[in-house]
Amino acid sequence: MNYISTRGSIAGVSAAHAIRTGIAADGGLFTPETMVKLSSSELESLKNKSYQELAVDILSRYLSDYPKADLVTMVESAYRYPDKFADPRVTPVTELRKGEYILELWHGPTCAFKDVALQLLPYLMTKASELTQDRSGIVILVATSGDTGKAALEGFRDVPGTSIVVFFPDQGVSEIQRMQMVTQEGRNTFVAAVKGNFDDAQNGVKEIFGDAKIIEKLAGHKLAFSSANSINWGRLAPQIVYYFFGYLELCRQGVIALGDPMNITVPTGNFGNILAAYFAMRMGLPVRKLICASNANNVLTDFINSGVYDRNRQFYTTISPSMDILISSNLERLLYYLTGSDPKRVNEWMQSLKNTGRYQVDTQTRAEIQRTFIGGFTAETETKATIKKVFEERKLALDTHTAVGVSVYERYRQETGDNLPVLIASTASPFKFNSSVLEAILGESAVAGINEFALLDKLSGLSGMEIPAGLKNLDKKAIRHKTVCGKAEMGQVVQELLKLK
Ligand SMILES: *Cc1c(COP(=O)(O)O)cnc(C)c1O
């Protein structure tokens, strides 16, 4: 399998090269040149595989330059039970109500779906150095709204030949998310708070990636940057696996027969997770509709419905912060395929986005999008009402992102009468956003003035769920990262933290 940049000027590169470099030099995203296709008998052959076996099967089709024996070792190390994932099935499926199933993606060490990819990425990345004969050390640079940063730190900590620098917005993450990051252990981990919001941190990181002076200095120390954000193909490929796993679980549970269609709903921010579902569908997984759920930052809902992407709008800070995003980078990969692999059009749209904050796709592309995607969003009050309702009916505590997915899906089902079984991606543990979850269930007075660590016990008592190991005693851990910087100082901070002379 070869990879091509969505902007078209780089093609024919290996998976290892795509993963090692993270982003293409022409500003585009590396993406597979052709779609992998599974026949119905191949799908059938996956039916009784464990999560790990399934992962090797699917990944080996995309990472064809990685020796299969290595993939087996990497997958087994990344998804080991119980020290890496707290459930032996890795991403178990539970019933919400008849016809609605929750794909639990948060049993990894940092309690968000990003662990599924970020536990594996460090192995893929270090192997890539070997396969591409690139001997320079890797510096992973991350801007995070909370979940990616911690998952990447945990994945890369003490991985030989790598270091990782994470920037998070000083005021933009929850107390639990902040403590998860500033207490991070590992000889090669660095964390800094940026005085600003997520966009400031993200723009700062983008500038550093393009800063010729810093890149040259790194090269002098035999180091090179790479990315652990979902612009890196190595983040997306592992996510395809769990949509297959979820489908096959529904078959094993007797909900559907092999070959029958289902729908998928994904609470969406950067469009990475739902794009992995799109890949699964194009590979031959029987999926009819992909329901893209947003919060008040509903730029994707408008895009799917109108064909106009317009980021010139108010930015809202919500109780589902990992979806508070106005530029969904991975949409670029979708557009590449929907135009029949036409980098010229993709380029025009992305230039327009850069220059004016807006682009409009042609009617044919819009029709292609609408053939598969449904866009919907919920207001904060609906998200909270959904958490309360699901808890009262099912004693199930949903996190604030998953609740956006459930809420958007249920409205879709009511409005259309589409009763196909649905997998709803559950992207975080409710413990990670416990203050908002408990407020939704018990009311504001029940959480007012109580810190998030005290609320862990309260949520555990109420839901009967165990507090995840990674969050327990987090407030008692030593703070190891104290750097706070202005957004103009980020480049300097990287050089200081890495001790570049
Ligand atoms: C990152 C994240 C999302 C958004 O996923 P994308 O792949 O960026 O669309 C949704 N929910 C949670 C909890 C997340 O951490």
Side-chain angles (χ1 to χ4, degrees), residues 111-114 145-148 177 230 235-236 239 242 266-275 293 300 320-325 328 330 399-402 425-429 432-433:
C111 308
F113 83 86
K114 291 173 173 96
S145 59
D147 291 334
T148 301
Q177 288 176 318
S230 60
R235 270 283 302 274
L236 282 189
Q239 295 178 192
Y242 50 65
V266 185
T268 296
N270 216 6
F271 210 77
N273 205 5
I274 197 167
L275 187 74
L300 285 167
S320 37
S322 303
M323 296 159 65
D324 292 346
I325 191 159
S328 300
N330 272 294
D399 97 284
T400 47
H401 304 76
T402 308
S426 178
T427 50
S429 157
K432 203 161 186 181
F433 301 95

